[in-house]
């Protein structure tokens, strides 16, 4: 009997998780049961993925750079990566602005709904924490993001998943320095990181064995902890606008994959689907990064020297889905609260959302912080910021799940484009967790 593919197992886990969660919402104490006895297994899975994210970046990026033999190749990859990431982010924001201006979802929100949403969410701890974090980021200088990239303690950066850019900076510095001391002197250190990289990738394979059960737990918890269904229905037009934009962005990806690499775009999506499904379940590009790297390298054929740089950087600064959401959410809030936007304001949204995406953490909820920064950049009244966030808070979690899928797909797409442009896109070589069992005595 043919073994069921991983993406089908995960998809079945998601569907069963959603149905189980819906069933538990009809039972007294069902939500508490899921929170206490089901959700912990999903939390453990996410923690395991985060556990290996930093070691994977360290090992794979050092291996990728040290394999280059030529620093100029790394410079070429870096410039192309940053250029394409900026380009796709601008396209995502533009798609969002075009859709929200055409569909005008904010015009259909009644005063009653606005009042109910405000009463429910405006003073909640989550909304207030997002406002506080945005205020802290806004108070930083214009070049603070450059200062934040450089760590003053490499070990301290490695114990903080939100400091991924600092780890990338240190790792690139280490990899380049290894090239400069010569292959002979660098060989012991290179052998260590090559071995560490193989071990971490094997850990990814082992962790992925529990993926179907983990997404069941994660999705069941999302369903039982969802907000007022009436408010979700009221915001359906807004949520629909965001989802249409995200689907258009994925369509854009598969078109450029087809044009520039001649690769079958549906095969590409199929190979990437386990990472996409995990991105949907965890709402975190950082947590999904180990799986994204494994799928792109082993199942799509991108060389490690490309994926080891492009994907970690992308998980941190390339947030096409989140940036598209920024554009739709900002204009939606302005429409709902009768705040007129000029053409200049919409251009400001493009620029601010682009810059905010670079400094945003690859974790759930970061989009709300970015949104506050975007709203403040267009002069939105500060006394209405909490109301603005309250308008979209009810549907932020499901939309966060959807936009993380686009973020991960965008990272993978750029890695394929870069690899193809420098002749580093080869044949897939999938590995399984038990490949080396015959070597164990």
């Amino acid at each position: 009997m043919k073994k069921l593919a991983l993406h089908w197992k995960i998809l079945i886990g998601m569907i069963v998780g959603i149905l189980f969660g819906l069933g538990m919402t009809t039972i007294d104490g069902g939500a508490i049961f899921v929170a206490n006895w089901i959700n912990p297994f999903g939390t453990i899975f996410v923690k395991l993925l985060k556990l290996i994210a930093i070691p994977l970046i360290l090992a794979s990026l050092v291996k990728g750079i040290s394999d280059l033999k030529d620093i100029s190749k790394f410079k070429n990859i870096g410039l192309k990566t940053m250029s394409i990431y900026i380009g796709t982010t601008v396209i995502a924001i533009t798609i969002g602005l075009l859709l929200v201006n055409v569909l005008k979802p904010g015009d259909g929100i009644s005063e009653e709904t606005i009042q109910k949403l405000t009463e429910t969410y405006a003073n909640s701890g989550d909304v207030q924490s997002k406002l506080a974090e945005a205020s802290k980021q806004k108070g930083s200088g214009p070049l603070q993001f450059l200062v934040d990239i450089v760590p003053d303690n490499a070990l301290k950066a490695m114990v903080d998943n939100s400091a991924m850019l600092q780890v990338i900076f240190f790792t690139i510095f280490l990899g380049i320095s290894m090239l400069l001391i010569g292959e002979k002197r660098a060989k012991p250190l290179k052998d260590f990181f090559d071995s560490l990289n193989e071990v971490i990738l094997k850990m990814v394979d082992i962790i992925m064995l529990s993926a179907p059960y983990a997404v069941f737990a994660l999705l069941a918890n999302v369903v039982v902890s969802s907000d007022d269904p009436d408010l979700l229905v009221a915001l359906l037009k807004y949520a629909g606008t965001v989802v249409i934009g995200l689907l258009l962005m994925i369509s854009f990806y598969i078109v450029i994959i087809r044009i520039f690499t001649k690769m079958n775009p549906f095969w590409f999506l199929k190979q990437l689907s386990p990472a996409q499904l995990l991105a949907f379940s965890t709402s975190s590009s950082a947590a999904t990064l180990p799986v994204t790297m494994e799928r792109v390298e082993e199942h799509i054929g991108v060389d490690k020297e490309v994926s080891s740089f492009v994907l970690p950087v992308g998980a941190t600064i390339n947030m096409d889905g989140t940036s598209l959401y920024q554009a739709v959410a900002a204009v939606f809030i302005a429409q709902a609260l009768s705040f007129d936007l000029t053409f200049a304001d919409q251009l400001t949204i493009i620029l601010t959302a682009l810059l905010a995406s670079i400094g945003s953490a690859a974790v759930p909820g970061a989009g709300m912080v970015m949104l506050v920064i975007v709203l403040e950049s267009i002069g939105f009244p500060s006394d209405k910021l909490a109301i603005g966030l309250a308008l979209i808070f009810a549907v932020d979690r499901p939309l966060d799940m959807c936009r993380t899928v686009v973020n991960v797909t965008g990272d993978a797409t750029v890695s394929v484009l870069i690899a193809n442009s420098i002749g580093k896109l080869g044949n897939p070589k999938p590995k399984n967790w038990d490949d080396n069992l015959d070597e164990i005595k």
Side-chain angles (χ1 to χ4, degrees):
M1 185 175 177
K2 188 177 179 181
K3 187 191 288 187
L4 201 60
L6 179 62
H7 62 279
W8 287 116
K9 291 180 181 178
I10 295 176
L11 188 58
I12 290 170
M14 291 176 65
I15 294 170
V16 175
I18 292 170
L19 294 175
F20 179 79
L22 289 171
M24 294 306 288
T25 57
T26 65
I27 301 173
D28 289 339
I32 297 174
F33 174 81
V34 171
N36 290 339
W37 297 98
I38 303 296
N39 187 51
F41 294 103
T43 303
I44 291 169
F45 177 77
V46 174
K47 290 178 77 172
L48 284 171
L49 288 175
K50 289 182 176 180
L51 170 71
I52 62 173
I54 296 297
L56 179 62
I57 291 171
L58 192 65
S60 64
L61 194 47
V62 167
K63 175 175 171 53
I65 295 173
S66 59
D67 284 345
L68 284 174
K69 305 291 190 297
D70 184 357
I71 296 177
S72 63
K73 288 184 180 178
F74 177 73
K75 178 183 175 183
N76 187 29
I77 292 172
L79 289 175
K80 284 185 177 182
T81 299
M82 297 306 296
S83 300
I84 297 176
Y85 276 153
I86 290 172
T88 58
T89 302
V90 171
I91 289 169
I93 298 167
T94 304
I95 288 174
L97 285 176
L98 288 172
L99 277 175
V100 75
N101 280 288
V102 171
L103 299 178
K104 299 186 184 300
D107 291 351
I109 302 295
S110 67
E111 287 294 331
E112 266 186 286
T113 302
I114 291 174
Q115 184 64 30
K116 188 175 181 182
L117 286 164
T118 302
E119 291 172 356
T120 306
Y121 299 111
N123 295 315
S124 73
D126 285 335
V127 168
Q128 294 303 318
S129 67
K130 299 294 188 295
L131 290 171
E133 180 61 27
S135 177
K136 179 182 173 183
Q137 289 193 21
K138 188 188 174 190
S140 304
L143 296 181
Q144 185 62 38
F145 74 97
L146 287 178
V147 176
D148 291 340
I149 288 173
V150 183
D152 56 8
N153 186 322
L155 294 179
K156 183 180 177 182
M158 290 176 198
V159 299
D160 182 2
N161 274 22
S162 65
M164 200 174 289
L165 271 181
Q166 293 187 351
V167 176
I168 292 170
F169 177 88
F170 170 75
T171 307
I172 291 173
F173 197 11
L174 177 64
I176 290 174
S177 299
M178 286 172 62
L179 285 178
L180 293 175
I181 65 172
E183 189 174 347
K184 185 177 179 181
R185 290 186 181 88
K187 190 177 187 304
L189 193 57
K190 184 179 184 304
D191 289 343
F192 167 76
F193 281 111
D194 286 354
S195 179
L196 179 62
N197 181 69
E198 291 297 325
V199 171
I200 297 296
L201 287 176
K202 188 59 66 177
M203 291 173 74
V204 175
D205 292 336
I206 295 171
I207 292 170
M208 286 302 290
L209 293 175
S210 65
Y213 311 101
V215 297
F216 159 78
L218 291 166
L219 266 295
N221 187 65
V222 167
V223 171
V224 298
S225 59
S226 61
D227 297 293
D228 188 340
D230 293 335
L231 296 181
L232 297 179
V233 171
L235 295 172
L236 194 59
K237 190 176 179 183
Y238 156 69
T241 303
V242 175
V243 171
I244 291 170
L246 296 176
L247 290 173
L248 287 175
M249 200 61 204
I250 288 182
S251 300
F252 169 74
Y253 293 143
I254 63 176
V255 167
I256 60 174
I257 282 283
R258 182 63 181 175
I259 291 173
F260 290 101
T261 70
K262 309 303 180 188
M263 182 185 293
N264 184 327
F266 299 105
W267 177 86
F268 166 76
L269 292 177
K270 179 184 176 183
Q271 302 309 311
L272 187 63
S273 58
Q276 293 173 316
L277 294 171
L278 285 179
F280 182 80
S281 303
T282 63
S283 300
S284 173
S285 301
T288 313
L289 178 61
V291 182
T292 308
M293 293 183 73
E294 188 258 352
R295 300 306 297 186
V296 165
E297 291 170 12
E298 296 181 15
H299 296 265
I300 296 178
V302 173
D303 194 279
K304 182 171 288 294
E305 69 183 53
V306 175
S307 63
S308 62
F309 174 75
V310 176
L311 292 175
V313 170
T316 310
I317 70 169
N318 181 53
M319 298 195 174
D320 293 345
T322 304
S323 299
L324 185 149
Y325 150 84
Q326 304 299 314
V328 176
V331 178
F332 166 77
I333 290 171
Q335 290 171 349
L337 299 180
S338 302
F339 180 79
D340 293 331
L341 293 177
T342 64
F343 180 71
D345 288 335
Q346 306 227 13
L347 291 178
T348 301
I349 289 174
I350 293 177
L351 179 61
T352 311
L354 173 63
L355 295 175
S357 70
I358 295 174
S360 176
V363 296
M368 293 284 278
V369 176
M370 291 170 59
L371 179 59
V372 176
I373 297 171
V374 171
L375 286 170
E376 288 186 334
S377 73
I378 55 176
F380 192 80
S382 56
D383 59 329
K384 290 187 176 181
L385 280 174
I387 299 173
L389 292 190
L391 288 181
I392 62 169
F393 198 81
V395 291
D396 184 65
R397 175 63 175 174
L399 290 182
D400 197 4
M401 297 161 74
C402 294
R403 62 186 183 247
T404 306
V405 174
V406 174
N407 292 342
V408 167
T409 307
D411 297 343
T413 299
V414 174
S415 71
V416 171
L417 293 176
I418 298 293
N420 183 69
S421 69
I422 62 172
K424 293 292 182 178
L425 184 60
N427 295 320
K429 296 177 181 177
K431 297 178 183 178
N432 297 307
W433 73 273
D434 56 354
D435 283 346
N436 305 108
L437 283 182
D438 56 334
E439 298 178 17
I440 301 174
K441 303 297 184 185

